[in-house]
Structure formats: structure tokens, C-alpha cells
Amino acid sequence: MNKRLLWLIVIIILLLSSFNVILQIKHSLSKKKSTREEIIAVNKKIEEIKADIEKYDKKIASLDDEFEKEKVARNMFQMVKENEVIYKYVEKNNNKTENTEEEK
């Protein structure tokens, strides 16, 4: 009887430890899957950044022309030449006056 109890305890311990190992394997597999998904996302981001770099390299190459440099300075950085006055055309919004007349 004593020997049977000892074997039962050993079998229970082995079953519990194997259950623990199975849980660890399952956790590792899910972690491996999420890591693969992350790698795919990072590779996609790398490709997007490479495309952006290529686009900016082309833009830099086009800036060899003085006209292009001035265009970028004016449009992107709102720069003006010394003693230059910038005029901005603003359209009147006729819809506002119509709405106010309708409300009356």
C-alpha cells in the first residue's frame, strides 16, 4: 500500500510538471507568433521609410537648380527676399451675407 501511494504521488508530480511544460510551450508559441507579426510590421515600415528616403533624395537632387531652391524656400518655409512685400488675395465669402439675410 505504501509503495502504491508513493507511485501515485510520483505520477501526480510528473503530470503536474508536464502540464506546466505544456503551458510554457503554448505561451512560447503565442509569443513567437506575435514576434513574427511585429517583424512583418517593422519590415513594412522599413520599406515605407526607404521609399520616403528615395523621394527626398530626388527632391534634394532637384534642388541643384536655383529656381527650385527659391520655390522650396518660399512655399515650405514662407521665406521672402529682403525688402519684398507679399500680397495675399482673400475672397469674400458671399454665403455668409446670404445666410444673415435669410435669418432676418
Side-chain angles (χ1 to χ4, degrees), residues 7-64:
W7 276 108
L8 183 63
I9 291 173
V10 168
I11 291 173
I12 290 174
I13 290 172
L14 287 174
L15 286 174
L16 289 175
S17 63
S18 65
F19 183 70
N20 187 27
V21 169
I22 290 172
L23 288 177
Q24 288 177 352
I25 290 171
K26 186 176 178 181
H27 176 70
S28 296
L29 289 176
S30 67
K31 194 170 185 180
K32 183 179 178 182
K33 182 181 176 185
S34 67
T35 304
R36 281 186 181 161
E37 291 171 355
E38 187 177 346
I39 288 171
I40 291 170
V42 167
N43 284 337
K44 184 178 178 183
K45 186 73 173 172
I46 287 172
E47 292 302 318
E48 290 173 359
I49 291 173
K50 282 182 180 179
D52 286 345
I53 289 172
E54 187 176 320
K55 181 178 77 172
Y56 292 133
D57 284 343
K58 287 179 183 177
K59 188 142 185 122
I60 289 170
S62 74
L63 289 179
D64 291 337

Side-chain angles (χ1 to χ4, degrees), residues 52-93:
D52 286 345
I53 289 172
E54 187 176 320
K55 181 178 77 172
Y56 292 133
D57 284 343
K58 287 179 183 177
K59 188 142 185 122
I60 289 170
S62 74
L63 289 179
D64 291 337
D65 182 18
E66 288 298 317
F67 177 76
E68 288 297 321
K69 287 180 185 178
E70 183 176 345
K71 183 178 172 186
V72 169
R74 289 178 179 275
N75 293 337
M76 291 182 73
F77 303 113
Q78 304 296 314
M79 297 175 77
V80 295
K81 291 182 179 179
E82 191 174 329
N83 297 325
E84 185 177 40
V85 178
I86 302 295
Y87 294 97
K88 187 174 182 181
Y89 177 74
V90 179
E91 282 189 45
K92 250 187 179 177
N93 192 351

